[in-house]
Amino acid sequence: MIFTHRRPSPPPARSNGRRAVGVTAVVAALLVVAGCTADAPAKDQTPADQAPTASGSGAPEGFEKHYSQDIVWTECRTEFECATVSAPLSWSDPDAGEIELSIMRTRATGDKIGSLLINPGGPGGSGVDYLEAAAGTFGDRLLEAYDVVGFDPRGVRDSTEVECYDDAEKDRYLSEDFDRSTDEGLAAARESSAAWAEACAENTGELLGNVDTQSAAKDMDMLRAALGDDQLHYLGASYGTSLGATYAGLFPERTGRLVLDGAIDPRIDSAEMSAGQAVGFENALRAYVADCQGGSGCPLTGSVDDGMQQVRDVLDQALDRPYPTDSDREVTQTLAFYGVAVTLYDEQNWSLLTQALEEAIDQRTGTMLLFLADFYNDRNADGSFSTNSTEAFTAVNCLDGRSDPDVEAMRAEAAEIEAAAPTVGTFFSYGGITCADWPYPVAEQEYDVAAPDAAPIVVVGTTNDPATPYVWAEGMAEALDTSVLVTYEGEGHTAYGRSNSCIDNALEDYLVDGTVPEDGLTC
């Protein structure tokens, strides 16, 4: 299964596939590692603007100190304030120890409603990086009304993190190809996943069994109280919609204004999610091919079906003969798919895919594909990784739910997926392997997915979203008793801040003024 993460556009690249000198602020914010900590308190160091209104109100027994803790903010990243918050390792055992959560905020510039927590998805996406990247795209009214707070969920990045391989081993792991059509290939793939799981357990410890979505949602309620809010106001994108819906199920009486953008149907299982994403990326790729062939300089010839087959040929050739690059690295089939997939999150990236395909088809080189795959995987030019998104992604998903690892069951699922998505379906098949040997069990669900007593929740879907297909937004809106559905008719992943003023105004009217959009609003 691919990441469900609100990804930015890759930086522009020159024709040789190397990264251009000029990088937009949005992308640079996500690629540059910048810490939020300080060796000594800054001069303007301040406690939280408000003491918790109910002195730890709503704290589960044994966790009162976490709910009532003071947050000490320090200046960071030039325009922001950062802090570290303590959270329990396990929300079922107060004596199990503690972890740290990294948070960052912008202060409200006008009359403040409260705090707005944000999450970009993943699982494994950094909310701290998301805030730095997205603050410039949030509307002025939103920034006037809220302290916008990004946080790295448990297990992610600058919070106490999941750790697995070192950089070199991770590089190898992310580049591996397996022929899953054979018993030998499946066995090798499972052996690789098992070795990854063992390394995660060895290098992470007990945290690895406590990074499920429910635990992260409980962290959000703790943050709500520590920030001084009676209700949680929240903007979640992609997987962040699952986090928000889980919060609503656990704490319906504490929900404030929740926007869930690029929504995931909470009723589907892992196998259904993989199948849905396969079709989503297939449809997004088809839209790209049609657009490419309608312009000039497209390397894909003939009909749209012909063009889709040519993309598949590029991917298949990488399996048989990895593409050389202008470095000492080759582009495997896995890396080639990452390079294609990352461009489908936003139609503004399609020109980069054209460039990569032209290079692969006409020159049989993969420099641009490698550049895009590295951006997708948060890999730096020196071989290090700027995030642990891969590690956290696997750890959270394996605790939230698993596909059947039975070989015959996986083959039957693969046949259905590949029939529905013949170009990219193979990359979404055999998902049962990933968690088959995970050392911790699936977390037991403690909440009602309908969240019947929650305040109105706004669910947003994009009609040709590859990573979170529109049908999932319809499903989430149907599952949540108090939801309304807002639709963006367009391409790409998520809608707020990248679609149109109709979407942005409707969501900001809701978050700032409390005006619930009309159910079924289409923009």
Side-chain angles (χ1 to χ4, degrees), residues 4 110 145 166 196 272 290 355 389 451 463:
T4 52
D166 63 22
W196 169 262
E272 292 171 311
Q355 185 177 339
S389 56
T463 53

Side-chain angles (χ1 to χ4, degrees), residues 369-447:
L369 281 172
L370 183 62
F371 165 79
L372 293 168
D374 284 351
F375 180 83
Y376 180 88
N377 286 321
D378 298 324
R379 184 191 189 275
N380 300 316
D382 63 1
S384 63
F385 289 83
S386 59
T387 74
N388 73 327
S389 56
T390 300
E391 293 88 339
F393 172 80
T394 309
V396 176
N397 277 321
C398 287
L399 295 182
D400 283 355
R402 300 174 191 178
S403 298
D404 189 348
D406 176 76
V407 171
E408 293 308 314
M410 288 192 294
R411 284 190 171 140
E413 290 171 1
E416 294 180 3
I417 291 173
E418 291 165 26
T423 313
V424 300
T426 53
F427 301 98
F428 297 86
S429 302
Y430 300 99
I433 289 174
T434 304
C435 302
D437 299 291
W438 202 251
Y440 291 92
V442 172
E444 183 178 350
Q445 183 173 305
E446 302 173 5
Y447 62 94

Side-chain angles (χ1 to χ4, degrees), residues 114-416:
S115 300
L116 178 72
L117 266 64
I118 60 172
N119 181 275
S126 166
V128 169
D129 285 349
Y130 179 38
L131 175 59
E132 186 173 20
T137 67
F138 289 169
D140 289 341
R141 290 198 305 137
L142 190 77
L143 296 173
E144 290 171 0
Y146 287 101
D147 289 345
V148 183
V149 181
F151 66 102
D152 287 358
R154 55 177 52 223
V156 174
R157 184 67 183 274
D158 289 334
S159 294
T160 305
E161 65 177 350
V162 174
E163 298 180 81
C164 301
Y165 283 150
D166 63 22
D167 288 338
E169 280 294 291
K170 181 177 176 180
D171 208 19
R172 177 196 58 77
Y173 177 74
L174 291 174
S175 304
E176 286 182 310
D177 284 340
F178 300 100
D179 183 0
R180 293 177 174 84
S181 66
T182 68
D183 291 340
E184 294 78 11
L186 276 178
R190 178 156 181 175
E191 182 179 349
S192 175
S193 291
W196 169 262
E198 183 179 359
C200 296
E202 181 178 347
N203 293 315
T204 303
E206 292 301 313
L207 173 67
L208 195 65
N210 291 280
V211 293
D212 56 284
T213 298
Q214 283 186 152
S215 292
K218 292 176 182 180
D219 291 340
M220 291 205 302
D221 194 56
M222 179 198 72
L223 289 173
R224 169 201 61 77
L227 289 164
D229 294 318
D230 290 324
Q231 294 180 311
L232 179 81
H233 305 303
Y234 176 76
L235 171 61
S238 197
Y239 159 80
T241 67
S242 292
L243 190 55
T246 300
Y247 181 90
L250 288 169
F251 308 103
E253 72 285 356
R254 298 175 202 164
T255 57
R257 299 167 188 174
L258 270 61
V259 171
L260 308 180
D261 182 12
I264 300 172
D265 188 340
R267 304 167 302 181
I268 62 176
D269 61 24
S270 297
E272 292 171 311
M273 185 173 288
S274 295
Q277 284 194 314
V279 173
F281 276 90
E282 185 85 8
N283 291 340
L285 183 60
R286 178 169 287 274
Y288 156 75
V289 171
D291 180 80
C292 179
Q293 292 178 333
S296 59
C298 182
L300 306 174
T301 59
S303 66
V304 173
D305 285 340
D306 292 334
M308 294 288 283
Q309 183 58 53
Q310 289 159 37
V311 174
R312 180 69 213 196
D313 290 343
V314 167
L315 297 173
D316 285 343
Q317 287 172 33
L319 180 62
D320 296 332
R321 291 181 299 145
Y323 291 96
T325 69
D326 64 1
S327 69
D328 61 355
R329 299 167 64 208
E330 293 182 321
V331 176
T332 62
Q333 186 184 61
T334 298
L335 291 175
F337 174 67
Y338 288 152
V340 171
V342 72
T343 66
L344 301 178
Y345 282 79
D346 193 313
E347 64 270 29
Q348 299 301 314
N349 303 336
W350 287 357
S351 62
L352 298 177
L353 179 53
T354 298
Q355 185 177 339
L357 291 174
E358 182 179 24
E359 191 180 83
I361 293 170
D362 295 342
Q363 304 171 35
R364 217 206 159 270
T365 58
T367 298
M368 187 60 173
L369 281 172
L370 183 62
F371 165 79
L372 293 168
D374 284 351
F375 180 83
Y376 180 88
N377 286 321
D378 298 324
R379 184 191 189 275
N380 300 316
D382 63 1
S384 63
F385 289 83
S386 59
T387 74
N388 73 327
S389 56
T390 300
E391 293 88 339
F393 172 80
T394 309
V396 176
N397 277 321
C398 287
L399 295 182
D400 283 355
R402 300 174 191 178
S403 298
D404 189 348
D406 176 76
V407 171
E408 293 308 314
M410 288 192 294
R411 284 190 171 140
E413 290 171 1
E416 294 180 3

